[in-house]
Amino acid sequence: MIRREDYLPPAWLVPEIALDFALDLDETRVRARLEVRRNPASGSGQALRLNGDGIAARSVLVDGRAAGDWRMDGPDLLIDLPGEAHTVEVETLVHPAGNSQLMGLYASNGMLCTQCEAEGFRRIAFFPDRPDVLSIYSVRMAGDRARFPVLLSNGNRTGRGESADGRHWAEWHDPWPKPCYLFALVAGDLVANHACFTTMSGREVALDIWVRPGDESRTQHAMDSLIAAMKWDEKTFGREYDLDLFSIVAVSDFNMGAMENKGLNVFNTRYVLADSKTATDADYDAVESVIGHEYFHNWSGNRVTCRDWFQLSLKEGFTVLRDQLFSAAMGSPAVKRIEDVRVLRSAQFPEDSGPLAHPIRPDSYQEISNFYTSTIYNKGAEVIRMMRAMAGPERFRQGTDLYFDRHDSEAATCEDFVRAIEDGAGLDLARFRLWYAQAGTPQVTAKLDHAGDTATLRLSQTTPPTPGQPEKQPMPIPLRIALFDRRTGTHGGEHLIVLDRAAAEFTFPGFAEPPVLSINRGFTAPVAITSDTPAADLVFLAAHDDDPFARYEAMQNLIVRHLVAAAAGGLSAAHRASERAAIGQALAAILDDAALDDLMRGELMTLPGEAYLAEQVPVADPGAIHAGREGLKAWLAAELRDRLTALHDRASAVPYGRDAAARGARKLKTQALVYLAAGTPGEAATRAAAQYAAADNMTDRQGALTVLCGLDTPARADALADFRKRYAGNALVIDKWFSLQAGSLHPQVLEHVQALAHHPDFTLNNPNRVRALYMSCAVNPKAFHAASGEGYRIIADLILALDPINAQTAARFVPSLGRWRRIEPLRSAMMRAELERIAAAPRLSRDTREQVSRSLG
């Protein structure tokens, strides 16, 4: 167990490192020359510890001579060094083709690439593999020119040449000190989309997006997104790019989404390649978002990095906020905010209420890769967004400017960031720091009373116990509110209030009649709010609220109340009919609202997800939740059939385009089909088959296939066969083919998953393909929570099979089983039994064992 409180500065610093690679797929020789200096901030007399993992030292030199005083301490190499400064040289061999963990230097489709965050560099060379050791890197690499015609690394290229034996070489130098987790190397047969960007100070920056030959036609959206991100960051945060070259490389075998290596970002292909024939509107948005995220890391993560991995949210939470603001500026701010909150509620809220709950600045870990979580990323972003809400955009910018100025080229902490915002924005954030220390989602209770001409809002907060934190302190919670006049449908202005104690009252004079409360507008705070707002007021807000998120939230709350009560069996027939009528009235108003843009209409039509519904009760019955949600969907489809079919017809007449109107039309088409599939499946099958056949873009084609996959109709098999044949050889689109089947509502979905696991196109060696099939199954409540327990067995079998191949990816499937305490007894016992079966397996990886042991408690 590694604990934050045990942090000590490194005994030795490495101001400079030179790496020399003799590249080969099977065996690559690495020579590392480290200029080491004793750290005055650390105690004297400590040996130089160079971390390693799965590598052996072929030779060790100190100041040009063979070192006699070195030894191995487990995987690490220790050298006793006198004095203050030395040159240490270590040679190692690595075997990229056999590296299925995809950490360190590995092979992917004939090319070589690296992934070093969090602790992959130690699989390449012996080094103090910790983020507070910052070095200036010089890299020389040589390899067979035919096999590796392109040789890339961080920084600026300083030289290249040919050798007589058919090999060639390149040298790279990065002038900015960085931790080793930001080192990158790529070698392979690649082609580039080239462009140029002029910074705000007039410097020319070359831009390259490198892909396999044949994929270059699908990189323009990525390039456009990169240029837009560079412009936006200059304007919004004053951050200018600092090298002569910025490169992105797309890799098909990758554990994560992308990696922000300084000047050489390595990306999963799914976040680079996009065109209308093979990528949906959501794929286009994801490319733009991830391109922006990794570019923004150049300052929030690279120029200012984190002191240790407990500070991970310092770079990730801040950068997620930056990419969210960027995506909102590029598209619809309202829709983007709803999408962000939906992700938070579906992934982070369950994490915060389960056995893996942890603060955004954790106190301990065994395997750091397990802490690349929604809490670190998404909740971390929300915490910083709250600071921005309290400061306002201008003062928040003053705080971030101060942060970058104070800590440029340093390894900083979360406390450093909070202090900079505090000083730059003029805020008192003393108690706000609790958001970094406490896990769990605060529960806020709101009650609005009215007497005379005064409205009184009574708020209280509690945060449930989480592992290791049985008691919580009240935290400052900023909330934007508005009080509506129900007769005029307007309000007198928005208020920002801060609930900074266990309970508080806020009074608002000037209301002759009881107003309607709109609370947590824009989702100001990542909290769960309980109120006694009448259903009629929710219908009013769903129709009239001028805050798009609050309007969405009113519709969601109306539905959530009904479905939670229905799942608990507490609704009489009359009560059920009354609540459904209110929901139908609200949805009809949304479908009929001519002033509403279709992108927003599509969001307002979306029913709450089953995972979010399960979070509303202490112990959930997934079967009852699923049945209730599908029942409501079918009832709404029957009630609003004419409106839905008219909507589908109208949207189908809109030609393809990337503008908001065309994107909204495509969203509506699929939403209408989803409802119709529940209420009139025959008609939905006919419409979906026609939409599939007529589709001239992937959004329409995938939307139609999504609906067909859940229906027991001959058109399903025909469309699936056509889809696979049409896109054979395109790995990203075939991933969709697997995912749509595993995520469907088809009665035989589990049989389909089991059959697909033996399909010739399936492999456990590619994380994208594994996630496409098995993660789609794990997040599909109908499949995963099947009453037989077969869904649990499928995921447990996958974890056991995948762990020795790719432990990092395997461990990410454990949390789905870890929710067993919040599920009804029969399913809960089966989930726990599968966790215990995994725990009993010999030779589990550290990644998976930590997740399983914490899940079992």
Side-chain angles (χ1 to χ4, degrees), residues 345 519 529-531 533 538 541 550-563 583 608 612 616:
R345 285 173 167 171
I519 189 169
I529 293 182
T530 301
S531 73
T533 304
L538 293 176
L541 292 170
R551 186 175 185 181
Y552 164 84
E553 186 77 330
M555 189 69 190
Q556 294 288 293
N557 285 339
L558 192 64
I559 299 170
V560 166
R561 287 185 186 181
H562 170 73
L563 291 178
I583 295 169
Y612 179 61
Q616 309 309 306

Side-chain angles (χ1 to χ4, degrees), residues 818-830:
R819 302 290 299 157
W820 61 274
R821 290 178 180 84
R822 297 289 302 274
I823 302 299
E824 55 83 15
L826 291 178
R827 288 179 171 89
S828 176
M830 292 187 286

Side-chain angles (χ1 to χ4, degrees), residues 387-401:
M387 294 187 221
R388 185 173 183 265
M390 291 187 292
E394 291 184 4
R395 287 197 297 154
F396 181 75
R397 165 69 187 274
Q398 293 171 6
T400 60
D401 284 350

Side-chain angles (χ1 to χ4, degrees), residues 218 270-271 273-284 286-287 697-703 705-706 709 720 723-724 727 730-744 756 768-773 776:
R218 294 191 284 154
R270 67 177 296 189
Y271 296 114
L273 305 180
D275 63 20
S276 63
K277 302 294 185 184
T278 59
T280 64
D281 293 334
D283 294 330
Y284 270 87
V287 169
N697 64 86
M698 181 54 73
T699 305
D700 282 347
R701 195 178 303 279
Q702 179 175 308
L705 188 57
T706 298
C709 277
L720 283 168
F723 193 88
R724 180 169 176 263
Y727 301 107
N730 187 318
L732 292 178
V733 183
I734 297 302
D735 285 341
K736 297 176 183 292
W737 185 79
F738 279 92
S739 178
L740 292 174
Q741 295 178 76
S744 82
L756 288 167
N768 281 356
R769 190 57 48 88
V770 172
R771 288 186 287 259
L773 178 60
S776 299

